[in-house]
Amino acid sequence: MSEGGSPQGWPADNFPYRPHLRFCSLGNENVREVMEGFRLACERLGYTTSIAPGPGVDNDDINLFFFAMGLSLPSDDELPPNAIVVNFEPALPALLAQMPGYQRLLQRVHVWEYSLENMVHHPALGIHRSDYVGPGFEPLATPLLPESEVLDDAQQDIDVIFFGETTPRRLQVLEALTAAGLRVAYPFGTAWTPAQRDALLPRAKVGLNMRKADHSSTVELPRLSILLRHRKAVVSELYPHSEIPQVLRDAVEGCTKDELVDRVRALVADAPRRRALEVAGPRALQSLPPQHEVLAGAMQRYLAGAWQRWVAQQALSTAEPAAQVSVLMVTRDGEADVAEALTSIAEQSLAPHQLIVVDDGSTDATVDMIRARMAADPRLAGLLLLQAPVPMGWAAAAQWGLMQARGDALALWAPTVRCAPERLQVQSAFLRASPEIGAVGAWYTRDGDAEPPTQRLPEMHDQILAALLAHLPHEQPLLMGGLMLSLPRIQQRGLGFDATLGRFAWLGLLLELVRGGARLGNLGISLGQLTTRHAAGLVETDVTALTRVRERLLPLVFPDVPSADAQRLARLYGQQWAPDADDATALLRDMAGACAKQGDVHATTVLRGESLRVLAVYAENGRLAPGYLDTLMREPLLRDFLAPLGERLRAIVP
């Protein structure tokens, strides 16, 4: 607890919520003990808690929703920051294709995700406010069955027990076990109550754990935890790429789906092996990280995100004195867009302190268009127009403009971006209230649709940096023409736009701000619209520039990785790789090693996605021999790194 009685890390006094956690489960009572483990762990962190009979966010508490697939909230508006959904559903892409309402919910709240496999899919699913909350052990939630209460073989009149949804895939195995002469207990039609389940468990020799679907590699840990707490010898469907803590993998009999029947029969007949597993299972559970320690970090990250969202909401209605904002726009041959862009600037509710436009050697009527707008609109009369006689390149032109800028903040503008009238007011108010933030962007829309969908971007610093690791981004996860930077930070450190980074020099400047201790942010508010008709593709010089950006990015994302290792990792972004599979393996090891040292889940998730790109290139060129993936999975470092990619690995690698 911190001073004043609030849990450690609780935001400032004007945070509108109180440190009380309201828990709500929309699942049946069979999964209530999963929620109870979280609740008790949070109480150990100093929070008061209660269990709500139904969902709600119209209160001053932090609301946690479990098993919320059927949660129905009144609209698709953004939920307030006091909502967390804890997701225990595997194979999210397939599930959300059938349940779009659940996808919209996960996009609108802070998500605690139990599956690293799901985390890999989150960006493509539009889920950006998410965090990985891995398995932990809370001893008070459901006490371990004392060893003395394990029934002997004569009293165990059930050979194998399974509880959970009896999908056709699972039913096939259960019927095969029955046909093999085993006494099998499982619910059919109506789920067991916890009391019914717990009455049957002591009578069973073996517990069974199976995947719900073929396309998921995530082991369903809630069921496995219940079985191990009851000291059951467990046969679990497992593969080399299954996502499961190693300590739990070692405490069960793992096999493929096709081997389940034979492995269950063998274990039923092997009493000594069952006794050993009945001891090993609970020990494995107890060796997991304490649940409250897992949640301590998750709560800290949630509170940081909730606080940032709250400050952004306050910035929308602030009455603070106006900041002095310089606007900088670089254009070349932009006559089709520049007039609308200038109108967008002129309509800002906070008038720019300075408006600087640098024309980078246009050969069309861009300059004439700018001068005409200056003459026609008094709000643009003070525009400073800098004209380069020949093209200088974006970075040099932007640096020329930066040297003229004065005030509290610098707003970058692009001719292809139309910003909401409140953009400058909101971003400048946010920067003023968030001195740790050196640059802030926002969500945006793309033109072309009557109601263009909002481009959701990661809002928090660590996720933004991690997303920049992805291969050849254009404006993601930041929209250059929607950024506002702290001008005093830039000037105090003598920073500028590096011409060697070409049109990605703005990224280089952001990374220099970060290196100096600043943080990045995106507001979860749409403040602009991007015109895509003139979107430029990447040329060879852009690829080279982005490689240089990544070389500067890697030490910021992986500060604990030695520089020599970071240089090897930078090969990931090279334009040529060695042609043999050993080089692919070495590159995968470099990624896995960096992630193991750093431990940031978002960076690890992005590099997992990059590993698919690496493997696809080598596979398409016929460089991976049959059995290559099995070789990788025999190496613990690579297995732990690659396992959450699941079946997508098998789709790429022979």
Side-chain angles (χ1 to χ4, degrees):
M1 298 281 285
S2 63
E3 292 183 10
S6 295
Q8 185 176 6
W10 191 254
D13 292 339
N14 58 341
F15 193 51
Y17 308 112
R18 64 188 186 119
H20 179 84
L21 308 184
R22 186 188 299 251
F23 287 76
C24 176
S25 173
L26 284 87
N28 60 41
E29 56 183 330
N30 285 301
V31 293
R32 188 182 182 95
E33 60 200 272
V34 176
M35 183 180 77
E36 186 68 0
F38 276 62
R39 189 186 70 80
L40 292 171
C42 287
E43 288 194 344
R44 294 179 67 178
L45 295 175
Y47 293 91
T48 58
T49 70
S50 61
I51 298 176
V57 292
D58 188 17
N59 52 60
D60 296 333
D61 301 326
I62 307 300
N63 300 276
L64 292 94
F65 304 122
F66 290 72
F67 306 99
M69 284 191 299
L71 180 59
S72 177
L73 292 169
S75 73
D76 282 348
D77 293 340
E78 294 300 309
L79 270 71
N82 64 331
I84 302 173
V85 166
V86 187
N87 180 63
F88 282 105
E89 301 301 327
L92 267 188
L95 174 69
L96 298 185
Q98 302 297 320
M99 302 191 70
Y102 189 44
Q103 180 171 354
R104 290 195 298 272
L105 174 65
L106 296 180
Q107 291 173 339
R108 295 156 56 208
V109 298
H110 189 95
V111 178
W112 281 353
E113 174 61 69
Y114 95 115
S115 165
L116 289 169
E117 179 186 13
N118 283 343
M119 286 289 292
V120 175
H121 293 284
H122 279 194
L125 295 170
I127 303 169
H128 293 296
R129 296 175 184 141
S130 62
D131 194 9
Y132 174 62
V133 180
F137 178 69
E138 174 48 57
L140 298 180
T142 305
L144 297 174
L145 183 75
E147 197 170 352
S148 60
E149 294 186 17
V150 176
L151 300 180
D152 59 34
D153 276 15
Q155 296 173 294
Q156 291 180 333
D157 57 340
I158 298 171
D159 290 319
V160 57
I161 189 170
F162 174 82
F163 53 92
E165 184 181 353
T166 48
T167 61
R169 182 184 190 279
R170 289 168 169 170
L171 193 59
Q172 179 187 24
V173 175
L174 295 169
E175 290 175 344
L177 288 167
T178 302
L182 297 179
R183 297 166 294 181
V184 185
Y186 60 92
F188 189 77
T190 302
W192 291 334
T193 66
Q196 290 171 323
R197 180 199 68 201
D198 293 350
L200 292 169
L201 278 170
R203 296 165 49 192
K205 292 182 172 68
V206 171
L208 182 59
N209 198 33
M210 291 183 282
R211 296 193 302 187
K212 186 175 182 179
D214 287 325
H215 49 261
S216 171
S217 68
T218 306
V219 176
E220 297 187 24
L221 294 179
R223 178 187 306 105
L224 181 59
S225 174
I226 292 170
L227 289 169
L228 297 182
R229 285 173 184 272
H230 283 81
R231 294 190 180 274
K232 291 294 101 182
V234 176
V235 174
S236 183
E237 184 180 359
L238 287 180
Y239 302 89
H241 60 277
S242 292
E243 181 185 334
I244 183 175
Q246 184 62 41
V247 67
L248 296 184
R249 183 186 285 270
D250 294 339
V252 302
E253 287 282 339
C255 62
T256 68
K257 174 177 177 279
D258 293 339
E259 298 170 323
L260 284 172
V261 173
D262 289 341
R263 193 65 66 91
V264 168
R265 293 178 65 189
L267 190 56
V268 167
D270 189 346
R273 175 60 177 159
R274 283 191 276 113
R275 296 288 91 82
L277 291 175
E278 289 165 2
V279 173
R283 286 179 179 170
L285 279 181
Q286 290 172 307
S287 69
L288 293 175
Q291 188 72 68
H292 72 280
E293 291 183 6
V294 174
L295 292 181
M299 282 299 300
Q300 293 292 305
R301 294 185 292 273
Y302 157 72
L303 289 171
W307 173 253
Q308 181 170 308
R309 288 183 65 198
W310 169 249
V311 172
Q313 290 174 0
Q314 294 301 103
L316 281 169
S317 56
T318 184
E320 293 284 330
Q324 293 186 335
V325 178
S326 286
V327 172
L328 172 60
M329 180 168 68
V330 175
T331 183
R332 180 196 294 176
D333 295 337
E335 64 175 306
D337 298 300
V338 71
E340 285 189 55
L342 290 174
T343 299
S344 179
I345 296 171
E347 292 175 345
Q348 289 296 299
S349 59
L350 173 62
H353 176 61
Q354 283 182 298
L355 173 51
I356 305 162
V357 177
V358 184
D359 181 75
D360 189 24
S362 290
T363 57
D364 64 1
T366 297
V367 171
D368 293 338
M369 187 74 70
I370 294 171
R371 293 193 185 281
R373 293 296 301 137
M374 291 172 64
D377 192 334
R379 297 170 296 182
L380 301 174
L383 183 153
L384 174 60
L385 175 61
L386 304 176
Q387 290 180 255
V390 294
M392 307 167 63
W394 189 94
Q399 182 63 26
W400 188 14
L402 173 61
M403 292 171 65
Q404 319 303 316
R406 302 291 182 269
D408 304 308
L410 176 71
L412 300 181
W413 213 283
T416 54
V417 174
R418 314 285 176 265
C419 289
E422 66 271 18
R423 178 203 158 180
L424 296 184
Q425 176 68 43
V426 171
Q427 287 185 319
S428 61
F430 177 83
L431 282 181
R432 179 173 293 186
S434 310
E436 74 282 2
I437 301 292
V440 61
W443 294 354
Y444 63 96
T445 58
R446 291 184 183 273
D447 65 356
D449 298 323
E451 294 185 6
T454 297
Q455 301 295 307
R456 295 170 175 267
L457 305 177
E459 297 165 45
M460 301 303 292
H461 174 83
D462 291 341
Q463 289 176 271
I464 292 171
L465 284 186
L468 287 172
L469 291 169
H471 181 57
L472 299 181
H474 286 270
E475 304 292 0
Q476 298 281 9
L478 296 159
L479 177 66
M480 184 277 286
L483 284 171
M484 182 177 287
L485 291 69
S486 169
L487 192 53
R489 280 183 181 267
I490 294 172
Q491 293 171 334
Q492 288 163 9
R493 301 195 63 230
L495 303 179
F497 295 104
D498 184 348
T500 67
L501 302 180
R503 67 184 176 102
F504 295 101
W506 60 275
L507 273 175
L509 178 55
L510 294 189
L511 296 185
E512 286 301 307
L513 284 171
V514 172
R515 196 161 67 89
R519 297 179 69 80
L520 308 178
N522 273 316
L523 305 183
I525 306 164
S526 181
L527 291 179
Q529 184 179 61
L530 178 65
T531 301
T532 57
R533 63 178 178 272
H534 298 308
L538 293 177
V539 298
E540 186 174 344
T541 54
D542 294 329
V543 176
T544 301
L546 277 170
T547 299
R548 293 194 182 104
V549 169
R550 263 43 167 284
E551 290 171 351
R552 302 180 188 187
L553 172 65
L554 287 169
L556 300 176
V557 179
F558 300 107
D560 297 333
V561 174
S563 58
D565 293 350
Q567 288 175 358
R568 288 201 309 272
L569 184 56
R571 293 183 305 118
L572 176 64
Y573 307 106
Q575 298 181 55
Q576 290 184 331
W577 295 329
D580 58 276
D582 287 345
D583 192 63
T585 305
L587 191 50
L588 293 173
R589 284 198 193 102
D590 290 337
M591 286 190 277
C595 294
K597 286 186 178 72
Q598 194 63 24
D600 177 77
V601 68
H602 298 293
T604 303
T605 297
V606 170
L607 287 190
R608 283 194 176 105
E610 289 296 286
S611 71
L612 288 175
R613 177 174 67 90
V614 171
L615 291 169
V617 169
Y618 279 90
E620 288 167 4
N621 287 276
R623 303 297 180 177
L624 305 182
Y628 175 74
L629 182 57
D630 293 332
T631 301
L632 297 182
M633 289 300 178
R634 285 195 286 271
E635 195 170 322
L637 175 69
L638 291 176
R639 181 194 62 218
D640 293 344
F641 178 63
L642 296 173
L645 295 170
E647 299 299 325
R648 289 195 291 175
L649 284 172
R650 296 288 177 187
I652 293 174
V653 184

